[in-house]
């Protein structure tokens, strides 16, 4: 995979050069970790620093070199410290411990069932299973809450891998609630309890162990000699998945997957082989492409926009979509299509403009090495997937690239593809009406405003991480930071949903205002809106709701526009809504709340109590 945000420029002795020497052998990781550590600070400027502390019930030190290398592959300069094994509560409760001295950005909590709940391991058949599970979950939740209460660090928490051996042996599968069931139930209860705590991310170790196989996961000899229960292969797998998780915590996922057609969505060349000659169906090799299309439909369903950039005859492609019975994807599954003979980089620019997203939000998947090289050269911001020659590897290549890694999938994500279809209908309506006012009335819009709470925190954090264009400050607050803001006395945090005759746009706008400690005013920390509802004046309604609440306690609302390369659409917001420049400070604005008047709106506004 080529990811412009991952590793710095190549060259002898560079990060990219060091990483290029890493293979699947542990020795190559250890050498690369030493070389990375020896690099001067300026040589790692392209990597984002992250401080990590590990709380584990076993010896974690052997995993650290693997984690350093895998983090570098994901564009992270990780500094990793580990505490003594099986000292979880001691390190958390002692404010003088190495954990608190390290002041980490992320704390990895890696408990092992054999260490913390042996009654669910070797003693399983003589254990009250429910009580043991509840005791384990209660202990871990208490530990995590203590961390989140006293630290700004986010927490990556391991769940439990399947047991190395089953006490009941072959009979376990026939037990009503066997040992395998108990561990799976423990993981389920733990996830339910901990994912409701802002700032806590589950690392699915159970899934990793299943992918690798328990015989390749556990190392009895290494456990006996060094209290390290994992094989080298398992350690590498854990490091790679952890690095992906850390990257996903720091960078919003890409928004759009741009696909080629020939030898990508089907086998063969449509223009040469014809509709009947391409490989697409239930038999090999056509079945491989059909499976890939099913996977792509799953990506669409979780919120990834699909687009096409193909050198092809548009009429041939239209015929295929209309008549080929083995096409899983339909035209409506694609938010944008560029089908012509122009170069692919130009197509990607057009797609980004049409969808109103940044070039860096695109991921390019094309079987041709020549096309991939061209896009890398012309558009270094685009993530280019290293597509294997054998289409059997397409799914793994896309999944493993990590460009679409989400830590949470919201209702808005699942509706996104449908929302872009609705957006095309709105554009058609806009073109058919004579004025903006006529268009807005024809839309039959409604807007609903409510207070931010635990149910809307995930979507709010997602908006803060991804919204670039209409975003006056572009401050990035995660769920934990948002929760801390909500706890402040007098904080105003509002969301807005917008619907119209074509459908529900979802939660598309957010405003956060905090009382100023130095004056009789409120300060807009964040004010942002999805590009899907730009030009509809819904921002005026959200501002009115904020200002109306603020004037009960203050005489002014202060705003700041912090310019970025992408937020020019927000540049005129304050001037257009009654704010005046605030003294000598550039880009700072002031709204007199004593002279506040409600805006004229071309839609219905509802406010939840």
């Amino acid at each position: 995979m080529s990811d412009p945000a991952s590793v710095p420029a190549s060259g002898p002795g560079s990060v990219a050069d060091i990483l290029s020497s890493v293979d699947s052998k542990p020795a190559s990781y250890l050498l690369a970790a030493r070389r990375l550590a020896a690099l001067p600070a300026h040589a790692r400027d392209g990597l984002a620093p992250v401080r990590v502390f590990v709380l584990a019930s076993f010896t974690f030190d052997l995993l650290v070199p693997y984690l350093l290398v895998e983090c570098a592959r994901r564009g992270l300069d990780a500094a990793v410290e580990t505490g003594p094994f099986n000292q979880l509560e001691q390190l958390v409760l002692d404010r003088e411990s190495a954990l608190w001295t390290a002041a980490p950005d992320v704390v990895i909590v890696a408990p092992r069932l054999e260490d913390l709940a042996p009654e669910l391991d070797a003693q399983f058949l003589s254990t009250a299973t429910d009580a043991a599970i509840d005791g384990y979950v209660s202990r871990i939740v208490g530990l995590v809450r203590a961390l989140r209460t006293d630290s700004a660090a986010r927490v990556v928490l391991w769940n439990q891998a399947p047991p190395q051996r089953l006490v009941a042996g072959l009979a376990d599968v026939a037990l009503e609630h066997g040992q395998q069931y108990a561990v799976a139930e423990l993981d389920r209860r733990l996830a339910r309890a901990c994912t409701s705590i802002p700032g806590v991310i589950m690392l699915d170790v159970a899934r990793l162990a299943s992918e690798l196989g328990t015989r390749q996961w556990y190392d009895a000899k290494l456990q006996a000699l060094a209290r390290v229960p994992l094989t080298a292969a398992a350690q590498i797998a854990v490091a790679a998945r952890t690095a992906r998780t850390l990257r996903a915590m720091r960078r919003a996922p890409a928004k759009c997957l741009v696909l080629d057609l020939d030898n990508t969505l089907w086998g063969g060349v449509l223009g040469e082989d014809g509709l009947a000659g391409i490989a697409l169906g239930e038999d090999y090799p056509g079945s491989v492409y059909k499976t890939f299309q099913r996977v792509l439909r799953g990506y669409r369903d979780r919120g990834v926009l699909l687009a096409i950039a193909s050198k092809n005859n548009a009429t041939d492609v239209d015929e295929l979509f209309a008549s080929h019975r083995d096409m899983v994807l339909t035209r409506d599954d694609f938010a944008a299509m560029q089908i012509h003979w122009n170069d692919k980089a130009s197509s990607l620019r057009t797609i980004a403009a049409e969808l109103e997203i940044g070039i860096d939000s695109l991921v390019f998947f094309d079987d041709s090495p020549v096309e991939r090289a061209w896009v890398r050269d012309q558009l270094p911001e685009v993530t280019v997937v290293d597509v294997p020659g054998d289409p059997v590897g397409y799914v793994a290549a896309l999944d493993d690239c990590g460009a679409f890694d989400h830590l949470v999938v919201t209702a808005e994500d699942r509706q996104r593809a449908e929302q872009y279809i609705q957006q095309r209908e709105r554009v058609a309506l806009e073109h058919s009406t004579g004025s903006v006012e006529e268009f807005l009335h024809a839309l039959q819009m409604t807007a609903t405003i409510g207070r931010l709470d635990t149910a809307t925190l995930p979507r709010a954090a997602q908006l803060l991480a991804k919204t670039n264009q209409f975003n006056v400050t572009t401050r990035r607050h995660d769920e934990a930071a948002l929760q801390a803001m909500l706890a402040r006395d007098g904080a105003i945090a509002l969301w807005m949903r917008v619907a119209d005759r074509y459908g529900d746009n979802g939660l598309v706008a957010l405003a956060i205002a905090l009382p100023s400690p130095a004056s009789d005013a409120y300060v807009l920390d964040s004010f942002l809106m999805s590009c899907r509802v730009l030009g509809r004046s819904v921002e005026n309604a959200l501002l009115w709701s904020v200002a109306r609440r603020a004037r009960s306690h203050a005489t002014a609302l202060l705003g700041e526009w912090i310019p970025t390369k992408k937020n020019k659409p927000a540049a005129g917001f304050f001037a257009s809504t009654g704010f005046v420049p605030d003294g000598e400070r550039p880009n700072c604005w002031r709204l007199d709340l004593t002279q506040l008047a409600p805006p004229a709106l071309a839609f219905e506004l509802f406010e939840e109590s």
Side-chain angles (χ1 to χ4, degrees), residues 299-321:
Y299 269 77
R300 175 195 181 274
D301 290 344
R302 81 183 203 206
V304 175
L305 301 177
L306 302 182
I308 291 172
S310 172
K311 292 180 178 178
N312 233 309
N313 290 317
T315 53
D316 293 342
V317 175
D318 288 342
E319 182 185 2
L320 182 143
F321 271 108

Side-chain angles (χ1 to χ4, degrees), residues 470 472 524 527 539-540 542-543 561 568-579 589:
F470 195 97
V472 297
L524 272 178
F527 194 98
E539 64 271 23
N540 296 334
L542 183 58
L543 176 63
W561 179 59
K568 288 183 180 177
F573 168 66
F574 291 120
S576 67
T577 51
F579 285 78
W589 298 79

Side-chain angles (χ1 to χ4, degrees), residues 508-539:
V508 290
L510 182 70
I512 301 171
L514 302 171
S516 170
S519 64
D520 182 25
Y522 263 74
V523 179
L524 272 178
D525 173 90
S526 299
F527 194 98
L528 55 100
M529 182 175 62
S530 168
C531 61
R532 292 203 299 272
V533 292
L534 282 177
R536 302 201 209 172
S537 301
V538 295
E539 64 271 23

Side-chain angles (χ1 to χ4, degrees), residues 26-37:
S28 69
Y29 274 90
L30 299 178
L31 177 59
R34 287 197 294 270
R35 292 179 65 192
L36 287 169

Side-chain angles (χ1 to χ4, degrees), residues 324-464:
H324 201 296
R325 65 182 183 181
D326 286 304
M327 278 293 290
V328 175
L329 297 169
T330 69
R331 289 188 68 92
D332 283 345
D333 288 321
F334 295 93
M337 289 187 176
Q338 289 293 304
I339 303 171
H340 44 59
W341 298 100
N342 298 337
D343 73 281
K344 295 290 181 78
S346 297
S347 292
L348 265 63
R349 291 190 187 94
T350 302
I351 288 168
E354 180 180 339
L355 299 180
E356 298 182 320
I357 59 178
I359 292 290
D360 59 354
S361 293
L362 301 179
V363 176
F364 183 55
F365 194 103
D366 193 308
D367 69 290
S368 168
V370 175
E371 298 290 5
R372 297 198 302 269
W374 172 252
V375 169
R376 283 191 182 104
D377 180 71
Q378 296 296 306
L379 298 173
E381 311 97 315
V382 171
T383 297
V384 180
V385 180
D386 287 328
V387 179
D390 186 346
V392 170
Y394 283 7
V395 172
L398 179 58
D399 287 344
D400 292 344
C401 83
F404 297 105
D405 283 343
H406 283 70
L407 297 177
V408 62
V409 177
T410 66
E412 282 77 11
D413 291 327
R414 293 192 293 267
Q415 297 166 1
R416 184 166 294 114
E418 184 65 29
Q419 287 169 346
Y420 271 83
I421 296 172
Q422 295 166 0
Q423 183 63 14
R424 286 200 290 265
E425 295 172 333
R426 295 183 187 101
V427 170
L429 175 65
E430 184 176 11
H431 291 162
S432 68
T433 52
S435 66
V436 173
E437 291 76 15
E438 183 182 345
F439 167 64
L440 292 177
H441 282 292
L443 269 180
Q444 301 170 18
M445 277 200 315
T446 60
T448 305
I449 292 173
R451 289 185 295 181
L452 200 61
D453 56 19
T454 53
T456 48
L457 271 180
R459 174 56 178 166
Q462 190 180 71
L463 272 176
L464 284 159

